[in-house]
Amino acid sequence: SNFLAYQWGTLDYQEEEIARPEFKGTEYRVCPITNTYVMYYPPWKRWLKMCVSIPLTVGFTIVTLLGILILYGNRDVMLAQYFATGHSYHISVSMDVIGQTAPILAVELNKEHLRDPDFWIIIIGFPTALGLILPLLNFCLRKVSLWLNELENHRTEAEYRTHFIIKVFAFRFVCYFAALYYYSFIGVGTTDPQATEHGIVRVASTLFTYITIAHWWNICINVFFPLLLYRWRIYRDRLRLKKELRKLEKAELELTPSLENCLSAEKRLEKKKQLLNKRLLLEHAQANIWEEIVLPEHDSFTEYLFAVTQFAYVTCFSVILPITPLIVLFNHLLNMRLDAFKLCRGRRRPLALKTGGIGVWNHVLHVVTVIAILTNCSLMALTSSQFSWLANEIGTLGVFALAIGWEHFMLLVKYIMQLTVSRMPQTVQDEIRRKKYDQERKRYMQLRLKKRNSSYGTTEKKKSSITSSKQSPSAVKKDEQVMDCCEITKSTRSVACPPIEEASSNMSGS
């Protein structure tokens, strides 16, 4: 919070941007600010590389989106065939199922179907399988995004992080929200109440699966799986160390006096040196520092990504599943304790870096709030039964215009709240004003004291000039004679009484 940022001295802190060590320039140019030579990379070359990285990222995202829609479309076909053929499973894969509403409307949402366990197994099973697979896709895209970022050759760390976050978050948003928006606006294809109920059931079940099973699976992958891998590596290294110690002890036992007599003195000494060096290295390898180095580095990017995704779930689709904020609150409380456990046990000690905020994540949150306003207004206009009579009165175009107007009004309220509500608590504002007042007061006192000293010195000079002008010429000549006598006395004393170092040197020489 801003209170802690003020206490730690990081409020509105701006980091000095320097070139990344990985930045590669084509030539050296004189910086107009520092007047020193700096590496320069032409912007057109970076834009040329971005013309390669952006299509790759968009293509990877589109392929993933098509795969997700094909999976959910075949899920609807499978559910329709299950109830049409007498409760028999038939799995098929086809791209023609995208956008078809007939398989969705073929299954009636009655008590018999809703009480059937197989109905919920099919409805929830596919999102669960996808939630288990998506971390692998996120890992692959993250590696691709890192490679593309290195290819783009960004100069500063802020530019590097910004482009990396945009690539990864755009892909993650498509992966985790494609099915939700598909069934909210496209999949059901009509404003019929039955179609709206089908869309609500599918969106609610998918959202519930993502914020529970998929999220908890992500926690296991990011917290417990690296810890298990670390313990296995430590166990393997300790076994290898024990084997080396046994080999060393065996070699030391084999170096018996009878064998020493067979070797020459030089070879015997060389053998002892080798065994002693190996003993020292193995003892040094048993230190705990080497086990801590094996731990992975701490990266807060995953925590930010989880928090923004959960925030998007709450703001966009809480109207469909009202229990979403409660589940997200539980997830955040769980993440707080697991992050503390991960920092203490499963990661290296992170380096403390001074920063003035969350950087580009602040802009990402603003984008999510705008998307949430558009989503809620659209859901209200297209899926609410209270607007069905209004659509009959003013038509679909009128409802669309009303939704656009309401959306603009909500955006206006958002920006007004953003401008009027202070981001700093009152205590921090009072402390900043008090500190500014003390600085101004101190500066004013220093200027006043400086002015007083300068006026006092001017007055003294005037007084001395007036007194000197009032003296007679004989008095001035007498003062000059006194000063000459003083100078002669000082010179004779310095000759008669040499310094202590010279006297001591003369005595030692004599």
Side-chain angles (χ1 to χ4, degrees):
S1 64
N2 287 323
F3 177 78
L4 295 177
Y6 178 76
Q7 293 291 330
W8 296 339
T10 59
L11 186 64
D12 296 332
Y13 171 76
Q14 294 183 356
E15 185 180 0
E16 183 180 357
E17 294 290 348
I18 59 175
R20 297 170 53 243
E22 296 85 0
F23 174 71
K24 299 177 182 178
T26 57
E27 59 179 340
Y28 282 91
R29 289 190 177 183
V30 178
C31 178
I33 300 174
T34 61
N35 200 22
T36 57
Y37 283 96
V38 294
M39 284 190 296
Y40 175 77
Y41 190 76
W44 65 269
K45 288 188 177 181
R46 184 177 293 108
W47 281 105
L48 187 63
K49 292 180 178 179
M50 291 178 69
C51 292
V52 177
S53 62
I54 292 176
L56 283 176
T57 306
V58 173
F60 192 82
T61 304
I62 291 176
V63 170
T64 306
L65 175 62
L66 291 176
I68 292 172
L69 296 182
I70 290 171
L71 178 67
Y72 280 101
N74 286 277
R75 189 269 306 267
D76 297 329
V77 173
M78 179 181 176
L79 185 64
Q81 292 178 353
Y82 173 77
F83 288 102
T85 58
H87 301 276
S88 61
Y89 292 99
H90 178 71
I91 301 175
S92 62
V93 179
S94 175
M95 293 185 62
D96 299 332
V97 297
I98 300 177
Q100 293 185 5
T101 60
I104 300 176
L105 301 177
V107 181
E108 185 180 356
L109 295 178
N110 51 28
K111 292 183 179 179
E112 180 182 358
H113 291 166
L114 294 177
R115 290 177 180 177
D116 190 351
D118 294 333
F119 174 83
W120 294 109
I121 289 175
I122 297 174
I123 287 290
I124 299 179
F126 280 80
T128 302
L130 184 62
L132 299 179
I133 297 173
L134 282 179
L136 179 60
L137 296 177
N138 291 328
F139 176 79
C140 295
L141 181 77
R142 181 168 181 172
K143 294 297 183 182
V144 173
S145 300
L146 288 173
W147 176 73
L148 292 176
N149 261 23
E150 294 293 339
L151 180 66
E152 292 171 2
N153 193 24
H154 297 285
R155 178 178 180 83
T156 61
E157 192 67 30
E159 295 176 358
Y160 183 86
R161 289 197 302 264
T162 300
H163 288 81
F164 178 68
I165 290 171
I166 290 173
K167 292 183 180 68
V168 176
F169 182 76
F171 174 77
R172 191 180 182 91
F173 190 86
V174 170
C175 287
Y176 285 94
F177 289 87
L180 303 178
Y181 282 100
Y182 174 74
Y183 285 114
S184 296
F185 303 108
I186 302 174
V188 293
T190 179
T191 57
D192 183 67
Q194 184 181 0
T196 302
E197 291 177 359
H198 279 281
I200 290 175
V201 168
R202 282 162 173 78
V203 171
S205 60
T206 304
L207 180 61
F208 180 79
T209 305
Y210 283 167
I211 62 179
T212 54
I213 299 175
H215 180 71
W216 298 338
W217 173 245
N218 276 323
I219 290 175
C220 293
I221 291 177
N222 287 278
V223 177
F224 297 106
F225 181 74
L227 190 60
L228 292 176
L229 182 62
Y230 163 74
R231 291 183 177 177
W232 177 77
R233 294 179 65 181
I234 293 300
Y235 175 74
R236 184 192 59 184
D237 293 341
R238 288 178 179 176
L239 284 180
R240 186 183 302 171
L241 188 61
K242 288 181 180 179
K243 290 181 181 179
E244 294 295 331
L245 285 172
R246 290 173 184 172
K247 290 181 181 179
L248 178 62
E249 292 175 355
K250 186 177 180 181
E252 291 176 349
L253 291 175
E254 289 178 354
L255 194 62
T256 58
S258 59
L259 184 61
E260 289 182 359
N261 296 330
C262 299
L263 299 175
S264 62
E266 294 181 358
K267 291 184 178 180
R268 186 167 60 251
L269 183 61
E270 185 68 24
K271 185 70 173 178
K272 288 183 178 180
K273 285 182 179 180
Q274 291 179 358
L275 294 177
L276 182 59
N277 290 333
K278 193 173 183 180
R279 168 70 68 178
L280 292 175
L281 291 175
L282 291 176
E283 289 180 356
H284 184 62
Q286 297 179 18
N288 295 331
I289 185 64
W290 302 111
E291 296 182 358
E292 295 179 4
I293 290 177
V294 181
L295 288 171
E297 295 182 359
H298 173 69
D299 186 12
S300 59
F301 177 80
T302 307
E303 283 78 7
Y304 279 113
L305 204 57
F306 283 163
V308 174
T309 305
Q310 298 283 310
F311 175 74
Y313 285 147
V314 173
T315 54
C316 294
F317 294 100
S318 292
V319 65
I320 296 179
L321 188 65
I323 201 175
T324 301
L326 183 62
I327 300 176
V328 170
L329 175 62
F330 172 76
N331 289 337
H332 276 284
L333 295 176
L334 181 64
N335 283 341
M336 286 173 59
R337 302 314 308 164
L338 290 177
D339 288 342
F341 173 78
K342 180 175 67 174
L343 284 172
C344 296
R345 299 293 183 87
R347 296 291 186 273
R348 297 182 207 169
R349 181 180 298 176
L351 298 175
L353 299 176
K354 192 174 183 180
T355 180
I358 59 177
V360 71
W361 290 109
N362 193 15
H363 302 289
V364 173
L365 289 174
H366 285 302
V367 172
V368 170
T369 55
V370 174
I371 294 175
I373 292 174
L374 299 175
T375 302
N376 284 277
C377 292
S378 302
L379 288 173
M380 178 187 66
L382 300 178
T383 63
S384 177
S385 60
Q386 298 178 358
F387 279 78
S388 58
W389 64 271
L390 188 61
N392 297 328
E393 294 291 335
I394 63 176
T396 306
L397 185 61
V399 173
F400 180 75
L402 183 62
I404 293 296
W406 181 253
E407 168 260 329
H408 278 71
F409 175 74
M410 295 303 296
L411 286 175
L412 177 63
V413 172
K414 171 196 174 293
Y415 286 114
I416 289 175
M417 293 179 61
Q418 182 178 342
L419 293 174
T420 55
V421 178
S422 177
R423 64 186 183 91
M424 290 186 294
Q426 188 64 34
T427 55
V428 176
Q429 294 181 10
D430 295 340
E431 287 293 331
I432 292 175
R433 292 195 187 99
R434 188 179 295 109
K435 186 177 180 179
K436 186 176 181 180
Y437 171 76
D438 293 338
Q439 290 177 353
E440 291 293 333
R441 183 180 176 84
K442 186 177 179 180
R443 178 173 170 272
Y444 173 73
M445 295 298 293
Q446 289 179 353
L447 291 175
R448 190 174 179 181
L449 183 61
K450 186 177 180 181
K451 186 176 180 181
R452 184 183 300 174
N453 293 336
S454 61
S455 61
Y456 179 77
T458 307
T459 306
E460 290 294 327
K461 287 181 180 179
K462 289 182 179 179
K463 289 181 179 180
S464 60
S465 61
I466 292 171
T467 51
S468 61
S469 62
K470 290 181 179 180
Q471 288 180 355
S472 60
S474 59
V476 173
K477 188 175 181 181
K478 186 176 182 180
D479 291 338
E480 292 178 357
Q481 292 177 357
V482 170
M483 293 298 295
D484 293 338
C485 292
C486 291
E487 291 294 333
I488 294 171
T489 308
K490 287 181 182 179
S491 60
T492 53
R493 285 182 179 178
S494 60
V495 174
C497 301
I500 297 174
E501 294 125 353
E502 294 181 5
S504 58
S505 61
N506 293 332
M507 290 176 65
S508 59
S510 60

